[in-house]
Amino acid sequence: GATRLSALSSETTTGVKRNPNLAKLGAGYLFPEIGRRRREHQEKNPDAKIISLGIGDTTEPIPKVITDALQGAAAGLNTKEGYSGYGAEQGMGGLREKLADRFYGGLGIGSDEVFVSDGSKCDISRMLMLFGADTSIAVQDPAYPAYVDSSVIMGATGTLNEETSQYKNIVYMDCLKENGFFPDLSKVGKTDLIFFCNPNNPTGACASREQLQALVDFAKRNGSIIVYDAAYAIYIEDGSPKSIYEIEGADECCIETCSFSKYAGFTGVRLGWTVVPNKLKFSDGTPVNRDWNRIMTTCFNGASNIVQAGGLACVTDDGFDAMMGLVTYYKENCKLIRECFTEMGFEVYGGVNAPYVWVGFEGRPSWDVFAEILEKCDLVTTPGSGFGPSGEGFVRVSAFGNRADVEEAIMRLKDVYGK
């Protein structure tokens, strides 16, 4: 019976061709693959208490000042005065103003340049829709996989070279320990878009003011647009710029995207924003802001009104202080993880201005190291090669975890690697 069923299902097709761009994608998206391997390990070892310092998901409760606002907005929907239906696709006016003041005060960014969304990852995909398939792209290598995978799906790339694990028509900007994880721009070809995450996921590196000025100058010389992902900017502690708009000329060549995911623990709540300055223009003079507005009003119905009420609480003084409390907690985790690997004699990067520690395992294949740590320590990390070929030989260890779990993970690592 089963054979007949599978034969039937293989014969029953529609006449619709599969999108060839999806067929170009390499292995599964990184994080579901890690989840699959974790489940496999748990099935083989049902009693194992697996700790995850892998995907970079927040673990600590959202501060009460913020959840009170979420609850209040939800309860308000049950009243005549508190009910609201569709909102502006660009976000509540009050929230756009407060975001501009809180994160871009004194940088000349107006509320009409801030677009509220359900998170940066979604905005990155919509940006590729904005720019279209006929767009050349540069990414940091290693980098957050969504930039490359979204570009492939949109049709902006060629096929995957299995040997190099790189796609044709993408310029990979090597970010290696040898160059301090900042690309040598003199070796980077001209592209339309430059995806740049700072502080960087996965390396935890943070660019200096001089480096960011060089990047902006490079983009302006080439007529490029930088998509600047500032998802971890709130973790910066050494005085480096927290926004690209602190750099002269950035408002003429940069879009900045950010989110409350790693600020307020909104990974499941979903709220972000993207800044598209009015000065940013396409080659024909059309303001990018106008086209972005058209994309958002077409593809998006606005972030949840309940969630935006939570966002408004995040940018009050009390809410911001509470968010900084969460950030400090995760940064303390980071310090413990850094110290653990440093004491054991590993090469350790990141973990100061970012919630990720980038650990070198003497050039061993990242997936082998991932498997070994999972097998011997019941600990989930993220293989560096999952972020691109330049990540080979490293694993990313996330500081997003409960303190007791982080301390337990450190004990297990020391038992195995501290000899």
Side-chain angles (χ1 to χ4, degrees), residues 107-139:
L107 300 179
I109 297 295
S111 61
D112 61 326
E113 297 167 298
V114 179
F115 293 76
V116 177
S117 74
D118 50 347
S120 287
K121 188 180 184 184
C122 311
D123 277 350
I124 286 158
S125 295
R126 288 187 280 253
M127 269 178 226
L128 286 153
M129 194 183 291
L130 166 77
F131 292 110
D134 191 22
T135 305
S136 54
I137 287 161
V139 295

Side-chain angles (χ1 to χ4, degrees), residues 385-409:
S385 59
F387 298 98
S390 293
E392 190 61 276
F394 287 85
V395 296
R396 187 193 78 174
V397 186
S398 163
F400 294 115
N402 184 269
R403 183 66 44 78
D405 284 346
V406 169
E407 287 167 348
E408 169 69 22

